[in-house]
Amino acid sequence: MRQEALVVPPGTIDVHAHYFPRDAPPSEVIAGFPRAPRLVIDSPETGRLVRGTDDFRTVRRALWDVPARLADMDRAGVAVQAISPVPVMLEYGAPAAPFAGYCRWVNESVARAVEDGDGRLVGIGTVPLGSPPECVAELRYLSEVLGLRGIEIGTRIDGMELDDTALEYFFDAVDGLGLAVLVHPVDGGGGAVRRSGFTYDFGLGMPSDTALAATALVFGGVLDRHRGLRIAMVHGCGTFPWAYPRLRLGAQIAGTHTPEELDLLVSRLYADTLVFDAAHLPALVHRFGPNRVLLGSDHPFIPGQPEGGLTDLDSAAEHLPPGAVPRILRDNALEFLGLSSGELVTDHFSPIKEDHYGTH
């Protein structure tokens, strides 16, 4: 299944999109992990994600059906998507052996979807982070055999923050293999805020949890210890871009870091554009730099995306540095995912006007 010297076709790249296999997990996985998330298809267009006997959420066909996904991409003007597991699949507290089998099933399913994607899908997998031997073995398998380009991880790993020393082995292995890391909140933010309910979990919990994960990576030394890591934070890195100046000042007052060294570490993070407000996009570029912002949509979960994100980028283009738009639409994603391409962004797949690319 491994793809040698993968070259992406011209056009826009969406790095934050999710996929779920339509087939059931292996019986031995279900036997040891009865709440393993699985898909139940109810009609040609809709299905449900289920954990054990509990419904988790209703989903639509593009989540599991590659032709439907490609049709959505065509309508939006997206040439390429990086597909990653649905965050509910990152069940780090599950029994170790069945969860390792579940991760293998997920990764092989993602690789098959990539094969069916006519060169327009790039795979991001998952690993059993709670079990180092199985995790490292799966990292090698998905990279060297399946040809996946990255790993999706949660903002916390079975209660551990990302700078926990127990996770050093993972960052060592990922750094050595040259895999990209996509960090995504799980379970509505995992108690990051004191209010409960979907509005608070979605609107404050997930962005706050993402900010805490970014803080662990920057202030906890992960990025300093692993200089080759390529890490992207979804949802615009949550509330971190706005909290960072205060965090930086706090570290300076406490004498733990200098502003200069922190700015350098922050500039190594990638963040996607899924912030739902064109006015926020210049702030993202200011915080992380024009070489570190990526198009992200959460497809096929968020209504109006990726079209809305592309429209926001169009609206913000005049407030961005020259050349930032094509980098956000394509070039930064190529670098993050470790891909090659002989061409830059064209207007064939993108609604962003070409005269915005370097003239504002």
Side-chain angles (χ1 to χ4, degrees):
M1 290 185 181
R2 179 169 172 78
Q3 297 173 330
E4 299 294 338
L6 179 61
V7 177
V8 175
T12 296
I13 303 173
D14 176 2
V15 302
H16 177 192
H18 297 297
Y19 170 78
F20 205 105
R22 67 183 302 157
D23 56 315
S27 57
E28 62 270 20
V29 169
I30 295 296
F33 179 22
R35 283 182 58 80
R38 57 190 175 85
L39 174 69
V40 175
I41 298 175
D42 295 313
S43 76
E45 299 299 327
T46 63
R48 287 170 290 133
L49 298 185
V50 175
R51 290 191 286 191
T53 59
D54 299 329
D55 288 349
F56 176 69
R57 71 182 299 170
T58 300
V59 294
R60 63 187 187 87
R61 180 178 173 183
L63 182 64
W64 70 84
D65 185 82
V66 170
R69 177 179 298 271
L70 296 179
D72 279 1
M73 291 164 59
D74 286 341
R75 283 189 291 270
V78 171
V80 175
Q81 269 189 353
I83 55 172
S84 54
V86 180
V88 71
M89 303 166 88
L90 308 180
E91 294 269 5
Y92 299 121
F99 185 55
Y102 186 77
C103 291
R104 174 63 58 91
W105 169 73
V106 171
N107 293 331
E108 291 183 340
S109 299
V110 169
R112 286 194 293 271
V114 170
E115 281 191 334
D116 293 340
D118 196 25
R120 298 181 59 189
L121 301 179
V122 177
I124 293 176
T126 184
V127 288
L129 274 159
S131 181
E134 287 85 354
C135 178
V136 173
E138 191 63 25
L139 283 169
R140 294 193 175 280
Y141 180 75
L142 68 85
S143 173
E144 297 171 357
V145 177
L146 299 181
L148 304 188
R149 296 291 169 154
I151 299 296
E152 181 183 39
I153 66 172
T155 44
R156 286 186 293 176
I157 311 300
D158 198 20
M160 293 184 291
E161 301 294 341
L162 296 186
D163 58 344
D164 195 295
T165 56
L167 297 174
E168 280 293 290
Y169 83 91
F170 167 75
F171 291 113
D172 280 337
V174 168
D175 198 356
L177 289 168
L179 289 164
V181 179
L182 186 75
V183 180
H184 200 294
V186 180
D187 291 334
V193 296
R194 62 179 181 264
R195 299 293 297 267
S196 62
F198 179 79
T199 297
Y200 299 106
D201 289 343
F202 180 82
L204 287 174
M206 296 175 80
S208 300
D209 197 31
T210 304
L212 288 167
T215 302
L217 294 170
V218 172
F219 292 81
V222 176
L223 291 172
D224 193 38
R225 292 189 296 271
H226 304 278
R227 301 299 179 94
L229 284 178
R230 304 190 310 278
I231 301 185
M233 315 298 294
V234 300
H235 309 152
C237 201
T239 58
F240 181 84
W242 286 265
Y244 173 65
R246 191 176 182 95
L247 288 164
R248 179 177 56 193
L249 178 59
Q252 184 179 9
I253 293 171
T256 59
H257 301 82
T258 68
E260 293 77 16
E261 62 188 358
L262 288 173
D263 287 349
L264 184 60
L265 292 173
V266 170
S267 72
R268 287 181 46 206
L269 286 174
Y270 291 85
D272 80 6
T273 57
L274 194 62
V275 293
F276 310 113
D277 191 336
H280 284 194
L281 296 175
L284 281 184
V285 172
H286 168 73
R287 179 62 58 224
F288 299 106
N291 296 341
R292 288 294 186 269
V293 178
L294 308 160
L295 179 68
S297 70
D298 223 339
H299 178 266
F301 291 126
I302 304 294
Q305 295 293 335
E307 293 89 340
L310 288 165
T311 298
D312 285 345
L313 187 57
D314 193 17
S315 299
E318 63 180 311
H319 304 293
L320 300 177
V325 171
R327 292 210 61 87
I328 292 169
L329 287 175
R330 181 175 176 82
D331 299 349
N332 297 342
L334 293 173
E335 293 166 6
F336 170 64
L337 295 166
L339 299 171
S340 62
S341 175
E343 299 182 70
L344 297 177
V345 174
T346 72
D347 62 359
H348 180 66
F349 286 104
S350 174
I352 302 294
K353 296 181 178 63
E354 188 171 339
D355 61 3
H356 283 175
Y357 282 5
T359 59
H360 51 274

